Amino acid sequence: MEKKKAIWGFIFTIPAIVFFMIFDFYPVINAFWMSFFKKDLLSLKPPKFIGFKNYTYLFTSEAFWNSVKATAIFTLGTFIPMVLVSLVLAALIMTRKRFQKFLQMAYYSPAVLSSVVAAMIWLLMFDPRGLANQFLNFLFSTQGIDYHWLSNENMLRLATIIVYFWKYVGYFTVIFVSGMASIPRSIHEAAIVDGASGWQDFLHITLPLLKPTTLLVSVMSMIQCLKTFSTQYLFVQGGAPRGPIDVITLNIYNTAIRDHQIGRASAMSVILFFVIMFFTYLQFKVSRSEEVTY
Amino acid sequence: MKKVLVFLSMLLVVVSMAAKVELVVWTHEDPNRTPLEEGYIKEFEKMYPNVEIKRVTYPSDKIKEVLLTAFAARKGPDIFNIEIQDEYPYIVNGRVAPVDLSVLGLKNYNDLKNLYLEGSLDAVTYEGKIYGLPLELTNWCIFINKKYFREVGLDPEKDYPKTWEDMVRVSEKLVIRDGQIIKRRGFDFRYPYYLTFFVPMVEQLGGALFSADGKTAIINDNAWLKVLDFMKQWGPNGKNLGSPTYTAARKEFNKDNNTVAMCLSGLYQIDRIKAENPAFYNSKEWMVVPFPVFQNAVKDVRCNFYGHYYMVNAESSKEKQEWAWRFINFMLSHPQEYLTKVGLIQPRKDLIESDVFKNYPYANVFLEDMKKAHIVPLHPQGPQIEQLIREAVESVMLTKTTSQDALKTLKKKANDLLKEEQ
C-alpha cells in the first residue's frame, strides 16, 4: 500500500520534474557544455571546441577580476547590513503591540516593485539635481555641493547598495518576523519568570532559536546579492561609469549580448554558479552544529 | 448536398488561409513613423490580400538585444532595422539576404546604386552584394535655443559656436549653476554615442580609429590626447559644463524649460519638438547650426552619420524574402512623406533634388554637414570598441584618471581586441 502511494506520489511530481528539467536543468547543463566552446551568437558556424581556454582567458583577464571585486564589494556592502538591519527591524516590530501588520507591509512594499522601476526612481534621485544631493546639502548645511552619486567610484557603489538595501530589507524583515513568531511564547515567559531582561531574552533566547531563520536569510540575501543585475545595468544605461559596478552578471550580459561571446559568458556563469554553491555550503556547514529544537 | 457545400467552403477558407504569407517586421519605436508605416501596411495588404504584415516595435535601446537573441535562436523576424553599426555583424555572418533586384524591377546593383546618393549603400555592400535599403541616414548638428542666447547677451545668428573652443566659451556664458550643480547646461554631448560624435572630433585633429589596413586601432596619440583633454575640461572635474550623469540634453531641449540651451541631434528632432512642445516649435526660438570643428583642425570632418537599413532575414523562406523586399520597396518609395512627417532623410537622389527637401527647415544645414562627413566606423568589433572609448572618455571626465593613462588603457584594450579577432 505504502509503495503504491509512493509510486502515485512520484507520478504526480513528474510534471514539475519535467518542467524543472527543461527550464532549469537543461540550461544549466547547456551552459556548462557551452563554456568549453568558442561561439559567436550570430554566427551560423558550429561552435569550436577550445577546452578550458575560456576559463584561462577569464582568470587572466583584468576585466573579469574587476567584476569579481565589484561583486564582492557589493555583496559584502549589502548582505551584511541587510541581515543585521532586517533582524533589528523585525525585533522592533515584534515589540510593538499595535501597527505590527502595517509596519510589515510598509517595509515589505519596495520588494513588490520591479527592480527596473526601483532603479529608475533612484536614478532620478541620484541625478545631480535630484533629491539625494538636496538631502545631503540640507543635512550638512551646505549649498550646491554635488556628491557625485553617479560618477565618483565609491559613491556609485554606495548608490547601488542603497537601492538594493532599500528594496529588500523589508522582505527579509518579514521573514525574521515570522521566524520570531514561531518561537514558543512559553520559552520567553519562562525566561522572564527567571528574571531575564528584555535584552537578555533577545540575546539568549530569541537569537539562538532564530538560527535557522538567520541562516535562511543570510543564504538567500547573499545569493541575491551575488546575482544582482538590473540596478547596475540601469545605472550604466543612465550614464554611470561601468567599471566600479561591473558586477559578474553585468559582465556576463555584456560578453554575451554586446560581444556575442556566448562560450565565454557561459564560463563566467559557471564560475558564478560555483562561487554561490561554495558560499552556500560554507554557511550550512558553519551553522549545522547548532540546529534548533524546542 | 448541403453538407458537401459546407465542407467545400470550409476547405476553401482553410486553403486561402494557408496560402497567406505572414511577414513579421521588427523596428524601433518612433511615434511619428508608426502611423505612417501602419498606413503603408494597410495599403500593401489591400494591394496584395495574400500578404499579412505584423509590425512590432521595441524601444531603440532594447531592440538590439531582442533581435540578437531571436537570431541566436534562429527565430528572427522577416524584416528588421537597427543602426548600421549593429547591423554590420548580421551581414558579415550571413544572417541577412541580399536585395532581390528582380522584385525591385532592376537589372543590376549599379541601377540600384544610381537611385541613391553616392556612397550611401557602401555600408551594406559586402562581397559585391547589397544587403539593405536605407530607411534613414542621420547626421547630427547643433540645435540652439535662441532665447537663452539673447538672455546672456549673445546674438544666436552671429555668436553660435563654430569651433569647439567657441563651444566652451559660449557654454560658459550660458551655464547656470547652484554651487557645483548645473541647473542649465549651455550644451552637452550625446553620451554614449562615441563612434558618432567623438571619433570625428579626433579625426579633425588628424587622428583615426583604425589604421588604413584596419589592423591597428587608435591612430595618432596626440589627436586622441587633445580630445580627451577637451572632454576632461568639459566634465565635472574641469570647467563643469556637462556630464553623462545628467539627463540627455536632447530630451531636455524639447521642453524649453531652462535646463539646456544647445543639444546635438538629427533632423528628426524637429518633428519631435513639434510633437512634444508645439508652442516652442511655433515660437521659432530654435535654430540649427553645423557641427563645430576645432580651431586648429587639420581635417574638416563633421559628425559621423549612421543609418538604419531595412534588412531581410536570410533564413526566411524564398517566398517570404521576395515579399519582404517588395514590401520594403513599397514603403521606401515614399521618401517625401518620411521627410515631412517623420523628419527622416532617405538618401535618394529624387528626394534630395526635390523642392520638398530644399524647402524643409534646416535640411540644407544637415546635408552640407553630411557632405563633409562619413559613416560611423563599421567593424565586427565596433560595439566593443565604442564601449572602450566610452570607458576612456568617462574615466577622464568623471574620475581623476589622466588623459595619458586613459589613452594607454584604451589603446591596449582596443588592439588586444583586434588581435583576438584576427
Side-chain angles (χ1 to χ4, degrees), chain A residues 144 146 236 253 258 264, chain B residues 65 178 180 384 387 390 420:
Chain A
D146 184 358
V236 171
Y253 169 84
R258 189 200 64 192
R264 195 174 289 167
Chain B
E65 55 199 66
D178 171 16
Q180 300 169 337
Q384 287 108 299
Q387 177 63 34
R390 177 185 179 170
E420 202 187 313

Side-chain angles (χ1 to χ4, degrees), chain B residues 99-102 104-122 125 128-131 133 347 349:
Chain B
V99 175
D100 190 330
L101 292 170
S102 61
L104 270 64
L106 300 169
K107 282 181 192 151
N108 53 44
Y109 286 128
N110 278 338
D111 289 350
L112 179 61
K113 282 183 183 172
N114 283 337
L115 296 175
Y116 289 90
L117 286 183
E118 201 186 327
S120 51
L121 295 179
D122 288 356
T125 306
K129 288 181 180 168
I130 295 175
Y131 287 86
L133 292 178
K349 283 181 184 163

Side-chain angles (χ1 to χ4, degrees), chain A:
Chain A
M1 187 63 188
E2 278 301 311
K3 202 177 170 188
K4 210 175 172 187
K5 266 187 183 174
I7 290 169
W8 275 109
F10 176 72
I11 289 171
F12 284 126
T13 59
I14 285 176
I17 292 171
V18 170
F19 190 86
F20 174 80
M21 300 271 271
I22 295 172
F23 295 104
D24 287 276
F25 196 61
Y26 169 73
V28 172
I29 297 296
N30 195 37
F32 270 93
W33 180 244
M34 202 39 111
S35 71
F36 297 111
F37 290 86
K38 185 177 179 170
K39 165 81 181 149
D40 185 307
L41 259 186
L42 268 184
S43 172
L44 289 171
K45 289 179 194 154
K48 187 179 162 196
F49 183 77
I50 53 167
F52 284 93
K53 272 190 185 161
N54 281 326
Y55 291 94
T56 51
Y57 173 88
L58 287 174
F59 288 125
T60 53
S61 152
E62 220 176 280
F64 175 70
W65 286 110
N66 176 57
S67 290
V68 172
K69 182 181 159 193
T71 309
I73 293 174
F74 178 81
T75 305
L76 290 173
T78 313
F79 128 84
I80 296 172
M82 193 141 71
V83 174
L84 292 176
V85 173
S86 53
L87 177 66
V88 171
L89 285 176
L92 281 176
I93 288 174
M94 289 303 281
T95 59
R96 301 292 98 193
K97 287 205 170 69
R98 297 170 68 190
F99 302 121
Q100 270 201 14
K101 287 279 167 224
F102 170 77
L103 285 171
Q104 282 184 53
M105 266 169 53
Y107 284 127
Y108 187 78
S109 53
V112 181
L113 266 184
S114 99
S115 304
V116 176
V117 175
M120 295 302 281
I121 293 169
W122 280 93
L123 258 181
L124 288 176
M125 292 208 258
F126 290 133
D127 180 282
R129 290 164 296 196
L131 282 176
N133 272 340
Q134 288 175 26
F135 175 71
L136 287 190
N137 277 316
F138 169 75
L139 200 68
F140 300 131
S141 304
T142 49
Q143 174 77 36
I145 302 285
D146 184 358
Y147 288 90
H148 300 289
W149 287 97
L150 298 175
S151 51
N152 176 283
E153 258 182 47
N154 295 327
M155 292 302 277
L156 179 57
R157 285 187 183 122
L158 179 66
T160 53
I161 287 172
I162 289 173
V163 176
Y164 218 77
F165 181 85
W166 169 81
K167 187 155 164 40
Y168 289 108
V169 73
Y171 175 71
F172 293 114
T173 302
V174 170
I175 297 180
F176 269 126
V177 166
S178 46
M180 286 178 186
S182 69
I183 299 171
R185 187 92 209 117
S186 56
I187 303 178
H188 293 295
E189 284 165 358
I192 290 162
V193 168
D194 286 347
S197 65
W199 175 241
Q200 283 171 326
D201 176 50
F202 178 74
L203 211 64
H204 300 293
I205 304 291
T206 310
L207 264 189
L209 294 182
L210 207 57
K211 209 130 215 180
T213 314
T214 313
L215 177 69
L216 174 78
V217 167
S218 57
V219 170
M220 277 174 67
S221 59
M222 192 205 60
I223 292 175
Q224 260 186 341
C225 289
L226 286 168
K227 292 196 316 187
T228 178
F229 172 73
S230 45
T231 309
Q232 286 77 3
Y233 172 76
L234 282 155
F235 272 43
V236 171
Q237 294 284 314
R242 195 176 120 202
I245 53 170
D246 191 17
V247 289
I248 297 179
T249 47
L250 187 61
N251 199 343
I252 293 172
Y253 169 84
N254 278 315
T255 307
I257 301 297
R258 189 200 64 192
D259 307 350
H260 303 175
Q261 300 276 7
I262 192 68
R264 195 174 289 167
S266 300
M268 247 188 284
S269 17
V270 169
I271 294 170
L272 182 62
F273 174 80
F274 280 117
V275 169
I276 293 175
M277 286 279 279
F278 171 74
F279 282 113
T280 310
Y281 172 77
L282 200 70
Q283 277 169 317
F284 273 102
K285 189 91 181 156
V286 167
S287 51
R288 188 177 290 169
S289 57
E290 293 175 62
E291 275 170 3
V292 171
T293 45
Y294 300 125

Side-chain angles (χ1 to χ4, degrees), chain B residues 255-319:
Chain B
K255 294 176 191 157
D256 183 29
N257 60 357
N258 207 23
T259 52
V260 69
M262 288 180 278
C263 74
L264 192 56
S265 198
L267 189 71
Y268 58 80
Q269 186 82 13
I270 295 175
D271 280 278
R272 292 193 182 172
I273 300 172
K274 198 174 178 180
E276 282 172 40
N277 192 349
F280 179 44
Y281 175 83
N282 292 322
S283 73
K284 302 283 177 208
E285 283 286 19
W286 54 274
M287 60 187 267
V288 184
V289 298
F291 187 77
V293 283
F294 280 105
Q295 232 159 30
N296 53 350
V298 293
K299 201 172 168 188
D300 185 5
V301 62
R302 304 303 168 100
C303 188
N304 281 344
F305 56 87
Y306 59 90
H308 276 263
Y309 290 77
Y310 270 124
M311 293 190 170
V312 172
N313 189 343
E315 288 190 286
S316 295
S317 66
K318 282 284 162 219
E319 187 192 14

